[in-house]
Amino acid sequence: MSGLSSNLPNGVPVEQTAPAPEPADPLQVLAGLPEALILMDNAINQNNYLQQLLLYRDIQPLPGIRSSVANAMRGAVSAGGGGGGLGDDADSDVLSHAGGAPGRDTRPLSAAPSDGGRSHHSESAATRSGPHIQPRMSNPPGQLSRQPSERSIPYSRGMSIRDGHGGPDGRPARHSHGGGGGGGYAASVAESNWPEELLQELADLGDDAPRMEHLWDWVCPMTAGKNVACMGWNKINPDLLAVGYGSYSFPSGNMQSGAEGSSEPKGLVAFWSLKNLQHPLWSFEVKAAVTALDFSTYSPNLLAIGLYDGTVAIYDVKSRQGTPSMESDVHSGKHSDPVWKVKWLDHGPERDEPLVSISTDGRVTQWSIAKGLEFSDLMKLKRMARRGAGGPPSTSAAAAKENGAKAAAAVPEQQDAFISRLTSGMAFDFSSRDERIYVAATEDGWLHKCSTSYSDQYLESYRGHMGPVYQVQFSPFKRDMFISASGDWTIRMWQEGRDTPLLTFQASTTEVNDVQWCPTNSTVFGSVTANGRLEIWDFSLSTVKPVMHQKTTMKLSCLLFVPSYPVVVCGGEDGAVKAYRIFNVSHEYDTLQEQLERLDECIRANVMKSQAAA
């Protein structure tokens, strides 16, 4: 072998030349240039919808800068139609200043843009806004003043809701920030077919009549056409909205997720903010339709999502990785049916923050992330038999309080034959009065009061709905009262200790997909329906009709109130998340005691009225 090697010619080593360096990205050469370009792009985007952003923030420009903002809007319209979100708003103000067009508001330009259609009166806005905001005459031009939401953009005092003066068609003039009679304007109170006495009561409110205005849509080509299934605000950054998308057209279930050739629709999670309305800050795809999500309170970078295939997953949004940090599987308690709600439980910063999920497999499951994703079932929802006659079987609140370990659902006289002993869970909410107590909503119309201390029995059961219950939520003001929305077309209000509803609300003959309490008014809640109606109810005014509503052409599936501002957002099957500014429904300056007194008085009056009618 050595001889053979010696006969080989001496080869000339080939020089290993290093590959030519790629040309440097000019955007990366200058330090800070990419960040500056992003900041400039965000500033341009925000300037395009400055007027709507001020409404969202509940801010009014001082008189010194109103003319400059209006001039900028006029220039934007003359340069190319306003673009980026102003469009009809700027055009409406310019037409009004020039003499208007048929059906348009002809208010002076000095009332725009932030007054949003308010007619000028002799008293100033600061004087009319009440004792909480004092007039500030020393502010230099360019500063912004904050005004209470009830007085931000009211109706003209000379307008009569009942008589409907002011519009060319005999209806009240639409002082709409969205302009004219476009799709962004909520239906007026007079269009709601209210009884005569209720219209008169609202007419007497004058400037305090509630209304809403469309601000914008969060939508982009990536999300267009995808159903908005769930939404959640970040607990630390209230301007960050996570939206889960999942199609309503689900496959038969015999196809495995991710299998080659499978047509199972994938899900999408997108993160929207006020910085850019036309594209999310970040997004990622998941293997199945997203059905639920929630941000952690004490680790705001953690997002929990529930999927249609039963998976519960934890994502670290700070790392911007499209793969979950933790994920359930068949060996770690994965649900066998869709997960319809997930929620982190706030037990204080010194204790762990568990995650709870509910699924149509009948399980209410608690997850811990301290050592991986560990699970324990809080409750397996047992199906309740219907009584042949009389009310639903339930245990009284007194019995539950006397000895919770012995409290159990009463055995009905006649029981139905069940194919499955478990019922499907649809939603749940935990009480702020006792961190162990929660109410679970089921597909067969029952609501069950449960405790994390007892996994084999219900403390109380509530029967009133005749269809699946899609949402349940405790009142943020009265801690023993909760509200539910159902496919039986109704919204019902409940109180612990009563197995029948306090009040029932129904405005249409379509299923109610979601309901949420207003965080600043104890008598106000919002709902969305399958026929595309966003409804705002105030049962201090009426339990018959919502005080205002917005009709869309799509099926709506969820809504959320903005915690810090008088804004409500909703989403549906077209992939757009719509934001609406609501006026004259907030009572953020009331104390908790005043909110409770007003709530108790309204409930007492309405219960007595319903009993008298019966």
Side-chain angles (χ1 to χ4, degrees), residues 426-462:
M426 302 299 296
F428 68 89
D429 196 29
F430 275 76
S431 170
S432 60
R433 177 177 55 86
D434 188 339
E435 64 183 23
R436 300 169 300 174
I437 301 299
Y438 64 96
V439 172
T442 64
E443 192 176 32
D444 55 7
W446 287 91
L447 294 107
H448 302 295
K449 178 182 174 183
C450 310
S451 172
T452 58
S453 303
Y454 312 111
S455 60
D456 296 328
Q457 57 200 14
Y458 303 136
L459 301 184
E460 292 179 350
S461 293
Y462 311 92

Side-chain angles (χ1 to χ4, degrees), residues 286-289 291-294 303-315 324-330 332-344 354-359 361 363 365-369 373-375:
V286 292
K287 60 184 179 181
T291 51
L293 57 78
D294 190 36
L303 177 71
I305 67 172
L307 303 182
Y308 186 76
D309 67 354
T311 301
V312 173
I314 311 295
Y315 284 81
S325 303
M326 304 176 187
E327 186 177 27
S328 64
D329 53 33
V330 293
S332 60
K334 176 184 174 181
H335 290 285
S336 58
D337 282 338
V339 179
W340 292 114
K341 187 169 184 179
V342 293
K343 184 175 183 179
W344 297 90
L355 176 71
V356 176
S357 63
I358 192 170
S359 168
D361 64 2
R363 295 164 51 206
T365 304
Q366 178 172 296
W367 307 84
S368 173
I369 63 173
L373 198 59
E374 300 177 341
F375 81 99

